[in-house]
Amino acid sequence: MTRFSERLRLRWLFPKPTRFLALVSLSTLHHLCKSLVRFLLYQTLPFLAMDNFFSDYLSDDFDSSPYRSHRRFLHDHDHDFAHERVYLLPYRWLVEAEGEADRREGVLYTVSCNSDSDSEILLHLRKEEERHKIGVSSRQYALVPEGVWLRTLKRYNDFNNAAKDVGSLSNAEDCLPELFPLQIKIFVSWETSSLVAKISQKENVADFYEKACDIFNSAYIPVHIWDFSGQTTQFFVNDKSRLPNDSSGQSVKEVALELQVHGLPDSMGGNGMIFDKSQIECSRSGSVSMNGSTDNVPPCITANCFRGSSCRAIRSLGLTGLQNLGNTCFMNSAIQCLAHTPKLVDFFLGDYHKEINYENPLGMNGELALAFGDLLRKLWVPRAMPIAPRTFKMKLANFAPQFSGYSQHDSQELLAFLLDGLHEDLNRVKRKPYHEVKDADGRPDEEVAEEYWRNHLARNDSIVVDLCQGQFRSTLVCPICKKVSITFDPFMYLSLPLPSTTIRTMTLTVISTDGITLPSTITVTVPNCGTVNDLIGALSTSCSLREDETLLVAEIYRNKIIRTFENLSDSLGDIRDQDKVVAYRMQKDTEATPLAVFVHERSVENSGKERFDSRLFGIPLVTRLSNISCGYDIQREFLKLIHPFLMRTKDVSDDYENNDGISERPIEDDELGDTTSAIGNDADSIIGTDDGIHLSTDFEFYLHGMENVKIILDEPLTVTTFSRKGPEVVVLWSDKMLKMYNTSLLDSLPEVFKSQLFAKRIQESVSIYKCLEAFLKEEPLGPEDMWYCPTCKKPQQATKKLDLWRLPEILVVHLKRFSYSRYLKNKLETFVDFPINNLDLSTYVAYGNSQSTNRYVLYAISCHYGGLGGGHYTAFVRYGYDKWYDFDDSRVESVNEEMIKTPAAYVLFYRKV
């Protein structure tokens, strides 16, 4: 029947369900049928829950009170019954593995087998009203959905591994009884007011049928079945008086069901007992470690619980790989880490559908939670083959298009989205209240923090919040008025910078304009996210800058200045490691005058039509122009700048006599002395002046432009001739001048940071505690993150200090190995030393709560190998107490604990102990 979306629903006019619901639509007959079905459902749902056929006829109005619980019942059972298998287990096993089961949630039946045929078993299930009189006997079974079976199996396996790790199961084997299916047919017998299950020899394997005969033989001891699956509620009602009368005495239509039998023996033995208490070996009780945590695990669960049964290895439980669909290793790595988070696994192996929030506009209509839960259950099926997570990836791409396609992504980014998406899908808060943030007003931090946390939980309450969210204390201080603002913010994970990412090493050439000092190369350390002001501050200290001096930072490319960093708030991220940067020392009192840039040029012989060609060389020199009257003033300023490069008289004489060219040896400061005297007998080329600077007629000067204009030395020249920014003067060097000056100093310009690509690098190592200290240290906000000060009434670059206040049960630590800037992408291979069994954060928590421990154990790692733009993701997972496994897509293999600490560790998963 076609569903019509164009319809107009009228609101309930009366609250009682017995009144008629008016409904007007484009297809009157179709929706009249819908209305009738809804009307019947409202009448009968309190007494009988039908199959999911009726859910197709439920409108959104059905979610209103007082019928919301019934709609939720249909939602839950529509998913559980239609898609999940039903398992038959020993009830004692369920109690011991799960803890004391809540019998109020189950329906207890007394089973009688009265079939006279050898080819068919007829089981009559009569509801037991006085359940308190029934103890936990050896002939009690439990009907459970697949999730409960997997969770029980997992806890059995965890306890078995933990018990062997401490040596309490010396002779135990990793085995469980065989799992086998039984084809049964169920119907309600109105004559006997009981539920009847029929097991036919013709429809089952012979061996399985024989096992069923032994299991349900009630000749010696009565058999009881607890139904925790909810399946029988579809056939049997609570009150016999509400059963419809069938005068013909015939049964309703039979419903086929495949029952998965697990945990029961192959043969019953002489007395028909499956096992009794004497057959159970209680190895230990109390708490054991599972995935690095201590949980109360029920006692009396050992591999010998099912004596005389055929066993099947369960070493593969939870050790199922994920197929790589094409660059999906990042997703596989994150999923495996979450799929081995103990309480999260227990949640999704349980009846998590009840907590799905279909009304949350920030959620994904429960689709992400359902897809993740389905995938997680498949990962925990015993001996499962590697799974292709296509459905999960498709659902993920529907709500996060950035993860569509088959490009490589960041596992931490996927993890952040997945946790947030699961939280919204499972948020128990249907309508989020609004809470106005109140100022502390001098109240104690404990009181303010608790208020913030209550307000947060009033809007966010899910299994993700329960496990993964903690709380920061954030302190902001205004640098002007010293206003202090304290807030308490939730966090899902810690993104810790590596110390080598919090600072940056930069090498620059400092050139003085005083006409005396030679250039010097200086390496400084600055904040990685710092500004030009931070760089100038570090350089000022290193080169002992005087109070009357300032620094002009410029980038050099192909022997020309391509940009200057005059804005002190510019980010250092704009300067790449391969750039060449110069800092010019200049007088502060000349900052208002035009800036002249001298670019060096020389003639080079070539093989073309032109015998000589001009070519730039060296580092440009700069100065501030004042009192310019003619070309000689330009020449004087340039000769002053170039004077420190003038070689000694003996060096020049030797060069002329030997015709060996220019000396390559730099002049040291103590060798400069007073070099203002004339050089040799070259008086024709050098003219002395009062200030000791020698004017050479062998330099030619040109104003740079569309066409270089030669500057005539004796012709008038004023500052207005130049542009507002000042002139760029091209200086043509003659061969004679090249031999008189040590131009090698002008040609030496290092890169900001020279990476040793081919040199053997020393392995960097840092403690995770140092990373945490770098994350929590006080630092100023960036220019783009200004804080609006309520006292100053304008944005201020405040200082910020973070403190850990409340720690979550599951602590996810992201190591920031990847850094991005405008020009630079980089990955750090720093080895981070992190504890495996005892991460103690007590000294870093500002709130001293003695009732909560601050110690953690590691249980999973998401690793990244390779560089940017590619690489490969894997995961290490703790299995049991001290076993570790490497999950590399489809491949899963055991590894030693010593192998999990590598520079590839990217996201660490800790659990509180």
Side-chain angles (χ1 to χ4, degrees), residues 159-172 281-284 288 302:
F159 180 82
N160 191 30
N161 288 331
K164 288 194 304 178
D165 290 332
V166 297
S168 60
L169 291 179
S170 57
N171 299 321
E281 298 180 9
C282 298
S283 60
R284 59 175 289 174
V288 296
T302 74

Side-chain angles (χ1 to χ4, degrees), residues 801-865:
K801 175 72 171 68
L802 284 178
D803 294 293
L804 297 176
W805 187 266
R806 186 189 306 266
L807 293 178
E809 184 169 345
I810 300 297
L811 180 65
V812 181
V813 180
H814 166 223
L815 303 176
K816 298 175 69 173
R817 294 193 177 276
F818 302 106
S819 60
Y820 304 91
S821 64
R822 182 177 178 182
Y823 302 106
L824 184 65
K825 295 181 179 180
N826 186 36
K827 181 195 175 185
L828 288 173
E829 297 289 347
T830 305
F831 176 81
V832 178
D833 186 14
F834 49 86
I836 297 177
N837 295 314
N838 187 20
L839 175 67
D840 191 355
L841 301 181
S842 301
T843 58
Y844 301 96
V845 179
Y847 177 46
N849 185 1
S850 59
Q851 298 179 353
S852 177
T853 178
N854 298 318
R855 293 174 54 248
Y856 289 84
V857 294
L858 184 73
Y859 70 89
I861 310 173
S862 177
C863 302
H864 179 268
Y865 300 90

Side-chain angles (χ1 to χ4, degrees), residues 21 23 34-42 57-59:
L21 171 65
L23 184 64
K34 281 192 173 185
S35 300
L36 180 59
V37 171
R38 279 196 297 269
F39 176 78
L40 294 175
L41 281 175
Y42 295 148
Y57 290 92
L58 295 179
S59 69

Side-chain angles (χ1 to χ4, degrees), residues 594-648:
L595 180 71
V597 179
F598 293 96
V599 181
H600 313 289
E601 190 177 87
R602 62 186 173 187
S603 297
V604 180
E605 187 174 0
N606 61 27
S607 57
K609 293 182 180 180
E610 298 290 340
R611 185 176 179 185
F612 293 95
D613 190 15
S614 297
R615 183 175 300 174
L616 297 178
F617 72 97
I619 306 172
L621 301 177
V622 301
T623 189
R624 296 287 182 182
L625 294 180
S626 59
N627 302 323
I628 299 298
S629 59
C630 63
Y632 282 115
D633 295 328
I634 294 290
Q635 185 185 56
R636 183 187 68 251
E637 292 294 335
F638 173 74
L639 291 179
K640 178 183 177 181
L641 295 174
I642 204 71
H643 182 263
F645 302 91
L646 187 65
M647 292 189 292
R648 294 178 304 164

Side-chain angles (χ1 to χ4, degrees), residues 8 19 43 122 143 164 203 211 221 241 386 391 588 605 657 707 764 838 862:
L8 176 63
R19 308 276 171 89
Q43 296 294 320
L122 281 178
L143 285 175
K164 288 194 304 178
E203 297 174 352
K211 292 179 182 179
I221 300 178
S241 64
T391 302
K588 282 185 178 180
E605 187 174 0
E657 291 176 4
E707 293 183 3
E764 291 184 84
N838 187 20
S862 177

Side-chain angles (χ1 to χ4, degrees), residues 87-323:
Y87 291 77
L88 183 69
L89 308 174
Y91 177 62
R92 184 190 298 276
W93 183 31
L94 181 67
V95 171
E96 290 170 343
E98 289 277 313
E100 184 62 34
D102 190 348
R103 302 188 184 188
R104 292 173 298 176
E105 296 182 359
V107 179
L108 177 62
Y109 297 99
T110 299
V111 182
S112 60
C113 179
N114 56 0
S115 177
D116 297 332
S117 173
D118 294 335
S119 62
E120 188 178 80
I121 304 174
L122 281 178
L123 303 177
H124 292 268
L125 283 69
R126 180 176 53 83
K127 184 178 177 182
E128 189 65 51
E129 301 293 344
E130 298 180 351
R131 297 183 296 176
H132 61 280
K133 295 182 179 181
I134 306 298
V136 182
S137 69
S138 58
R139 297 301 302 273
Q140 290 188 37
Y141 311 138
L143 285 175
V144 297
E146 185 178 44
V148 176
W149 170 68
L150 288 173
R151 188 170 69 243
T152 304
L153 198 63
K154 176 184 176 294
R155 293 189 178 183
Y156 170 92
N157 186 64
D158 287 341
F159 180 82
N160 191 30
N161 288 331
K164 288 194 304 178
D165 290 332
V166 297
S168 60
L169 291 179
S170 57
N171 299 321
E173 299 179 359
D174 289 331
C175 61
L176 277 181
E178 191 69 39
L179 174 71
F180 66 91
L182 275 180
Q183 306 297 329
I184 66 174
K185 292 182 178 178
I186 302 177
F187 58 91
V188 175
S189 173
W190 305 119
E191 183 179 1
T192 60
S193 299
S194 63
L195 194 66
V196 179
K198 183 169 64 177
I199 306 174
S200 174
Q201 185 180 25
K202 181 174 62 175
E203 297 174 352
N204 287 277
V205 178
D207 289 345
F208 298 164
Y209 181 78
E210 292 297 328
K211 292 179 182 179
C213 292
D214 289 340
I215 292 171
F216 297 109
N217 182 8
S218 58
Y220 300 98
I221 300 178
V223 176
H224 295 90
I225 293 181
W226 287 87
D227 179 22
F228 296 99
S229 69
Q231 285 282 20
T232 59
T233 60
Q234 298 180 83
F235 309 99
F236 196 77
V237 294
N238 295 332
D239 194 337
K240 297 178 183 178
S241 64
R242 293 174 183 156
L243 284 171
N245 295 323
D246 191 345
S247 59
S248 63
Q250 295 182 355
S251 303
V252 297
K253 183 180 178 180
E254 296 177 345
V255 177
L257 177 68
E258 183 178 272
L259 187 64
Q260 309 295 321
V261 182
H262 198 192
L264 304 182
D266 293 344
S267 61
M268 299 297 297
N271 59 358
M273 298 286 288
I274 294 180
F275 57 80
D276 58 25
K277 199 167 184 179
S278 63
Q279 293 175 330
I280 301 176
E281 298 180 9
C282 298
S283 60
R284 59 175 289 174
S285 62
S287 62
V288 296
S289 178
M290 298 191 303
N291 273 8
S293 66
T294 55
D295 278 344
N296 290 326
V297 180
C300 307
I301 302 294
T302 74
N304 295 325
C305 280
F306 310 99
R307 191 172 67 179
S309 63
S310 62
C311 292
R312 143 180 186 167
I314 59 168
R315 283 196 178 94
S316 62
L317 189 66
L319 301 179
T320 304
L322 289 168
Q323 294 180 15

Side-chain angles (χ1 to χ4, degrees), residues 435 451-461 465 469 490:
H435 292 283
E451 179 181 283
Y452 270 84
W453 190 248
R454 285 196 309 268
N455 293 343
H456 176 66
L457 293 184
R459 298 173 56 86
N460 303 275
D461 184 15
V465 175
Q469 287 199 356

